[in-house]
Amino acid sequence: MKKRENLGLGFEWQVIFWLSIWLAISQQALGLRPIREKTRSWSDEWLFGRKQEAEVGPFSAWNITGTYRGTWKFLNSVNSSSKFQDFQKENGNSVVELVAVPTKITGVHYVQGVVVFHDVFDNEQNVGGAQINLEGVYIWPFRQLRLVANSGKESDSGQEDNNLLSNPYHLLGIFSSQVFQESPRDRLLKRKLSPVNEMEKHCNIEIAAQVSRVASGENNGDKNYYHMEGLMESPGVGDDGDCFSPLLLNATSVNVEVYYNKAVNYTLMVTFISFLQVLLLIRQMEHGNTQSGAAKVSIVMIGQQAIMDAYLCLLHLTAGILVESLFNAFATAAFFKFVVFSIFEMRYLLAIWKATRPSNSGEGWETMRRELSFLYSRFYGILLGGILIMYQFHNYMQPILLLMYSFWIPQIVANVVRDSRKPLHLYYILGMTATRLAIPLYVFGCPHNFMRVEPNKVWCICLCTSMGSQAVILLLQHYFGSRCFVPRQMLPEKYNYHRRFNRDVSRTTDCVICMTAIDLRQHTSDFMVTPCEHFFHSGCLQRWMDIKMECPTCRRSLPPA
């Protein structure tokens, strides 16, 4: 009888054994249980209480490697800034970098990364941040991301602790049995009844997050987007309690390929704009290739544009150094900006300086070199001083940019003072106005720019209105005269080349320009009289003054016509 019972029990154990093996082989994914059956901490209750309605069908191995941008904030706002020495504000922006690698455990990925908290310092500049290195596991059947870190310096335990934490099996053991031995809610209640202790130098940190896939309608391209939402806590593994209050993290993955494509397209735009500006400068230099034509152009206007291009060259070169993968694109844009300001604009600046400089035959090379060095020192002094001013007043960058983009005003004032006729080519006025507006309108007007600058429509409208008004005034001066909009009462006295002279005096004279006789009995508009009492045909002297503002006979300086 006992023998039959033993045979029956042995058969039953064999059936149970083989059935368990069959279940283990056919249901590997279902055999992986959650970290704990029963939620024992606030973060677990908060995470597992959120259901994903959009998840239908079998589990898939999501690759959560990438960059996540989002926000952080303290959950309990009472005196929360004093709980962690690096956090002086209640909320701010954050960036999370994650790299997930599959492990031998089915459904478990080993994750390494870093989280950067911005806007943590409560200062006037609103700069600064805190960075924490992370590692942990991602259990994709349950969309659970668990990360651990230490906020202090590296421990003295050596390399063995690092190897121990890098083991996914050990991390699973930490999450399942050691981290949440006491509920954070209980620790919060216990802390309220006791005085607040000073923070330790080393805070054990754990992040418990739920990962979800962004709806397909919000995707940009074929890349999958993921949303991560969870809590960052300092669980009480010792007797001293928490290091800081729980932080709520909320971040969405960023498509880096789209970001790089936008950056490359931006650098192509800058390169094309720089090429157009080179062509416009060449056309303007051909338009005013004489001494008189160069003297009509404002040296302040050209110098201001050269300083702007120098700033753009430095900014693009710095961006290329910081982002190594985009160095070639930004370096190309910086090179073209360097060519614009260092070769063409500086050359034109020297031509204008030479044309406006009085020519004294008795001066030597030392005097010219001294004046030229003074010109260069002023240019580079203003360049460096502008960098210091923008660094000191970076909160007022938009008004400073409006001031910098008022580079047509010195030319407008110079036209009125000198009464110059058509100093700038029409293409140069229109082309420079349009190309100079391209970069600031992209940065502050494009809602999806790669710099992630918030659009400011009011400032863009103000900039376009300011630049458009300056261009319109230059066009009016081009077609109707430099002083067309200035009241006559405000105009200074102007020499009249068609002034009256004593006709009783018999004069027989020739125009030394065309070598033909001048009939002084004709209307005064047919000839012109210089202050030095020399007569010329009107057309001849006007063409001469477009080249040189000197009397063709005695080389005396002539006033503007």
Side-chain angles (χ1 to χ4, degrees), residues 266-284 309 312 332-341 344-345 427-428 431-432 434-436 438-439:
Y266 165 79
T267 56
L268 290 176
M269 179 192 72
V270 174
T271 303
F272 179 71
I273 288 173
S274 302
F275 182 73
L276 288 180
Q277 290 174 354
V278 168
L279 297 180
L280 293 171
L281 279 168
I282 294 175
R283 177 64 65 90
Q284 172 60 29
D309 289 326
L312 291 174
T332 303
F335 172 75
F336 272 86
K337 280 298 176 184
F338 177 79
V339 169
V340 171
F341 97 88
F344 292 93
E345 288 176 335
Y427 291 166
Y428 182 77
M432 277 296 177
T435 54
R436 294 292 180 190
I439 295 178

Side-chain angles (χ1 to χ4, degrees), residues 165-379:
L165 282 178
S166 299
N167 188 347
Y169 295 92
H170 181 70
L171 290 170
L172 281 176
I174 291 178
F175 294 133
S176 61
S177 60
Q178 297 179 15
V179 175
F180 292 107
Q181 293 181 356
E182 185 180 4
S183 173
R185 182 181 300 173
D186 298 334
R187 293 196 301 270
L188 289 176
L189 294 175
K190 186 184 300 182
R191 189 190 306 131
K192 291 180 180 179
L193 300 176
S194 61
V196 179
N197 298 325
E198 293 294 330
M199 190 203 74
E200 295 180 347
K201 293 183 179 179
H202 301 278
C203 291
N204 292 321
I205 296 172
E206 201 239 317
I207 296 178
Q210 182 79 30
V211 181
S212 60
R213 181 177 290 174
V214 178
S216 59
E218 302 178 14
N219 282 353
N220 185 8
D222 298 331
K223 183 179 175 60
N224 292 325
Y225 280 70
Y226 301 105
H227 181 73
M228 181 177 63
E229 192 169 3
L231 290 176
M232 174 177 169
E233 298 177 297
S234 55
V237 296
D239 298 332
D240 294 330
D242 295 342
C243 291
F244 60 91
S245 300
L247 285 175
L248 177 63
L249 296 178
N250 196 328
T252 304
S253 61
V254 179
N255 194 338
V256 180
E257 295 179 359
V258 174
Y259 177 83
Y260 284 168
N261 290 336
K262 289 182 179 180
V264 171
N265 292 336
Y266 165 79
T267 56
L268 290 176
M269 179 192 72
V270 174
T271 303
F272 179 71
I273 288 173
S274 302
F275 182 73
L276 288 180
Q277 290 174 354
V278 168
L279 297 180
L280 293 171
L281 279 168
I282 294 175
R283 177 64 65 90
Q284 172 60 29
M285 294 170 70
E286 292 176 351
H287 175 73
N289 58 352
T290 61
Q291 181 182 3
S292 176
K296 296 177 184 178
V297 181
S298 172
I299 192 172
V300 178
M301 182 264 295
I302 297 296
Q304 191 170 345
Q305 293 190 56
I307 289 175
M308 291 169 55
D309 289 326
Y311 287 153
L312 291 174
C313 174
L314 293 175
L315 285 175
H316 289 92
L317 186 60
T318 304
I321 294 174
L322 294 177
V323 186
E324 185 177 357
S325 58
L326 293 174
F327 176 78
N328 293 335
F330 279 103
T332 303
F335 172 75
F336 272 86
K337 280 298 176 184
F338 177 79
V339 169
V340 171
F341 97 88
S342 65
I343 298 179
F344 292 93
E345 288 176 335
M346 290 301 296
R347 178 184 176 185
Y348 199 30
L349 192 72
L350 292 176
I352 296 171
W353 173 78
K354 185 178 179 181
T356 55
R357 179 174 168 272
S359 57
N360 298 324
S361 58
E363 67 180 10
W365 166 248
E366 291 295 330
T367 303
M368 181 180 295
R369 188 178 66 176
R370 184 170 57 253
E371 294 181 359
L372 191 61
S373 63
F374 180 66
L375 174 67
Y376 274 101
S377 62
R378 279 191 298 177
F379 175 81

Side-chain angles (χ1 to χ4, degrees), residues 291-540:
Q291 181 182 3
S292 176
K296 296 177 184 178
V297 181
S298 172
I299 192 172
V300 178
M301 182 264 295
I302 297 296
Q304 191 170 345
Q305 293 190 56
I307 289 175
M308 291 169 55
D309 289 326
Y311 287 153
L312 291 174
C313 174
L314 293 175
L315 285 175
H316 289 92
L317 186 60
T318 304
I321 294 174
L322 294 177
V323 186
E324 185 177 357
S325 58
L326 293 174
F327 176 78
N328 293 335
F330 279 103
T332 303
F335 172 75
F336 272 86
K337 280 298 176 184
F338 177 79
V339 169
V340 171
F341 97 88
S342 65
I343 298 179
F344 292 93
E345 288 176 335
M346 290 301 296
R347 178 184 176 185
Y348 199 30
L349 192 72
L350 292 176
I352 296 171
W353 173 78
K354 185 178 179 181
T356 55
R357 179 174 168 272
S359 57
N360 298 324
S361 58
E363 67 180 10
W365 166 248
E366 291 295 330
T367 303
M368 181 180 295
R369 188 178 66 176
R370 184 170 57 253
E371 294 181 359
L372 191 61
S373 63
F374 180 66
L375 174 67
Y376 274 101
S377 62
R378 279 191 298 177
F379 175 81
Y380 288 105
I382 294 173
L383 182 67
L384 296 177
I387 295 176
L388 296 178
I389 291 174
M390 287 187 290
Y391 176 78
Q392 187 67 26
F393 301 98
H394 64 274
N395 291 330
Y396 306 95
M397 184 58 65
Q398 293 181 352
I400 293 176
L401 289 177
L402 280 177
L403 183 62
M404 292 179 63
Y405 275 85
S406 301
F407 54 85
W408 288 133
I409 293 180
Q411 184 62 53
I412 295 172
V413 175
N415 291 345
V416 175
V417 173
R418 303 170 187 171
D419 195 16
S420 304
R421 294 189 310 111
K422 300 181 179 180
L424 302 179
H425 197 277
L426 185 62
Y427 291 166
Y428 182 77
I429 298 173
L430 298 176
M432 277 296 177
T433 302
T435 54
R436 294 292 180 190
L437 283 174
I439 295 178
L441 289 183
Y442 173 81
V443 175
F444 296 100
C446 182
H448 301 290
N449 61 80
F450 80 99
M451 303 177 189
R452 300 188 180 276
V453 178
E454 290 294 330
N456 192 339
K457 295 182 180 180
V458 176
W459 186 84
C460 292
I461 293 174
C462 293
L463 179 64
C464 292
T465 303
S466 175
M467 291 285 294
S469 302
Q470 298 173 47
V472 168
I473 294 174
L474 283 176
L475 293 178
L476 291 176
Q477 291 180 333
H478 183 85
Y479 287 106
F480 302 103
S482 300
R483 300 176 176 177
C484 61
F485 55 90
V486 182
R488 291 181 178 272
Q489 295 80 4
M490 299 178 62
L491 292 176
E493 294 185 2
K494 182 180 178 182
Y495 178 77
N496 185 15
Y497 280 92
H498 301 283
R499 61 183 175 87
R500 294 183 179 182
F501 60 94
N502 189 0
R503 293 181 180 272
D504 296 334
V505 179
S506 177
R507 295 197 181 192
T508 57
T509 182
D510 294 336
C511 176
V512 298
I513 298 176
C514 63
M515 304 304 293
T516 57
I518 301 175
D519 188 359
L520 300 180
R521 295 171 299 178
Q522 298 294 330
H523 197 270
T524 55
S525 60
D526 295 337
F527 57 89
M528 300 172 69
V529 185
T530 62
C532 50
E533 298 295 332
H534 295 118
F535 293 84
F536 305 93
H537 292 109
S538 297
C540 295

